[in-house]
Amino acid sequence: MSTDATTKVLVLNGPNLGRLGVREPEVYGSTTFAELSDHLIGTGAALGLDVEVRQTNHEGEMLDWLGEAADQQLPVVLNPAAWSHYSIAIADAVAQCELVIEVHISNVHAREEFRKHLVVSPYATGVIAGLGLGGYDLALTHVAAVTERD
């Protein structure tokens, strides 16, 4: 893991999260993805983290990013979105990473039955679900605390 004064962290977001603020605001809120990104970069800076926020609707691109994180030993905050429920490829990529905090904006366990099955979670270091966008802040706080100790 990086021991620089400022630890680089990838905040990776899966399908449809680029539509935050528009897609089901009753579930995901009215904050846009751009607003979330700006907020997380600022939160990271306050915690001594260099946060890079990315979003993709393409599974192969996400796999490349997780491979980058594994190769560079970068901590990851990951919202795999729909891939949480079925992507063995994403699960395998997460298993190669040293530190991954999985974040879900909604409480997936209180939603449709298919959302309760999470194939990525067993490979994550930790999982935060149902705390809205604040779950990202908690994940970054944890990353800062853990990397500070290293």
Side-chain angles (χ1 to χ4, degrees):
M1 189 116 21
S2 173
T3 56
D4 300 320
T6 304
T7 300
K8 182 175 179 178
V9 180
L10 297 181
V11 178
L12 305 179
N13 294 275
N16 294 313
L17 288 166
R19 297 195 40 82
L20 283 175
V22 176
R23 175 185 177 225
E24 299 179 84
E26 67 282 0
V27 175
Y28 301 105
S30 59
T31 301
T32 67
F33 183 75
E35 292 167 339
L36 173 64
S37 296
D38 290 344
H39 170 78
L40 294 176
I41 291 167
T43 297
L47 292 167
L49 303 173
D50 175 18
V51 172
E52 185 174 329
V53 183
R54 302 176 186 175
Q55 188 276 326
T56 186
N57 294 322
H58 305 282
E59 190 174 20
E61 186 168 39
M62 179 64 77
L63 293 171
D64 290 343
W65 292 343
L66 289 166
E68 172 188 342
D71 291 346
Q72 296 180 27
Q73 296 183 313
L74 299 175
V76 175
V77 173
L78 172 67
N79 186 336
W83 293 323
S84 306
H85 313 295
Y86 68 87
S87 179
I88 303 305
I90 299 291
D92 286 347
V94 167
Q96 298 173 53
C97 296
E98 187 173 334
L99 174 62
V100 177
I101 306 301
E102 184 178 348
V103 173
H104 297 280
I105 297 167
S106 68
N107 181 353
V108 292
H109 303 290
R111 297 186 63 196
E112 302 93 338
E113 193 60 36
F114 75 90
R115 293 187 196 276
K116 297 175 185 179
H117 179 71
L118 302 168
V119 299
V120 175
S121 296
Y123 303 98
T125 308
V127 180
I128 299 169
L131 301 180
L133 299 179
Y136 289 93
D137 294 325
L138 291 172
L140 289 175
T141 300
H142 178 75
V143 168
V146 169
T147 57
E148 185 177 280
R149 291 190 298 241
D150 289 348

